[in-house]
Amino acid sequence: MNAPILIAPSVLAADYGHIADEVAEAKTADLIHVDVMDGHFVPNISFGVDFLRTVKESTELPVDVHLMISNPDQKVESYLDAGADILTFHYEAATHAHRIVSVIHDRGAKASIALNPATPVSVLEPIIEDLDMVLIMTVDPGYGGQRFIESSLKKLRRLRRLCAEHGVNPRVEVDGGIVMGNVAQAVASGANVIVAGSSVFRAADRAVAIRELRRHAERGVSKMA
Ligand code: DX5
Ligand code: ZN
């Protein structure tokens, strides 16, 4: 994960009936983002370990799994078994976050915590030094195609300060409502992993969408304050 900006198309917006073809069309991306929703932590239900296994078999890209589930403490192992390379769980759903991170690391995967828009970055203070990535939700999780919450930009800058105070530099992922028109601002505020569902899988040509998203995102790098 050395590229400055990583593009992570979310298969939530793909055609599940042709998932291998859909994932193949996104091969110029850097990661494949898989959204697991349980109908409890979030209102919607998406897919689980079997679907993840199929995605994993369909791509050579690292698979970035976003667990929007209650009680991730009891579920992370099965997602690691199914092939998660990066595993994100929600701060709001976890009981023992340090233990979950240890389990993920023991299995050789990258560990990441997601924060809902209403959760301040200060909650990460006791654990930030153990994380490979932080996921800043830029919509309330549960559905694709929602509108980007503007206050996320300020939150991204706060996260950058928190990381600097701790002398760490985890990847920072943004997820939700990312479009060509706001991706540079997200990057300028500190994001370097870009999740895009509708922007990629609802585009006529996925390769063009990925290329354009990357081009817009890279413009944000020079604007970093
Ligand atoms: C939302 C999911 C996102 C979703 C993003 O809860 O976590 O990953 O797929 O979709 P877009 O990019 O369409 O907002
Ligand atoms: Zn997601």
Side-chain angles (χ1 to χ4, degrees), residues 10 12 33 35 37 66 68 137 141-145 175-177 195-198:
S10 165
L12 189 69
H33 187 84
D35 288 304
M37 302 177 179
H66 178 191
M68 284 161 276
M137 284 306 306
Y143 304 97
D175 186 3
V195 177
S198 318

Side-chain angles (χ1 to χ4, degrees), residues 134-163:
V134 175
L135 193 173
I136 298 294
M137 284 306 306
T138 46
V139 298
D140 274 320
Y143 304 97
Q146 301 182 81
R147 204 189 176 87
F148 181 85
I149 296 174
E150 288 294 326
S151 62
S152 311
L153 297 173
K154 201 196 269 182
K155 193 166 164 184
L156 286 164
R157 292 193 289 270
R158 287 227 170 83
L159 175 61
R160 221 162 65 190
R161 285 201 292 276
L162 178 74
C163 292

Side-chain angles (χ1 to χ4, degrees), residues 95-110:
T95 307
H96 303 295
H98 286 89
R99 184 176 296 148
I100 301 178
V101 167
S102 296
V103 169
I104 297 171
H105 282 158
D106 286 350
R107 298 284 303 272
K110 305 266 191 224

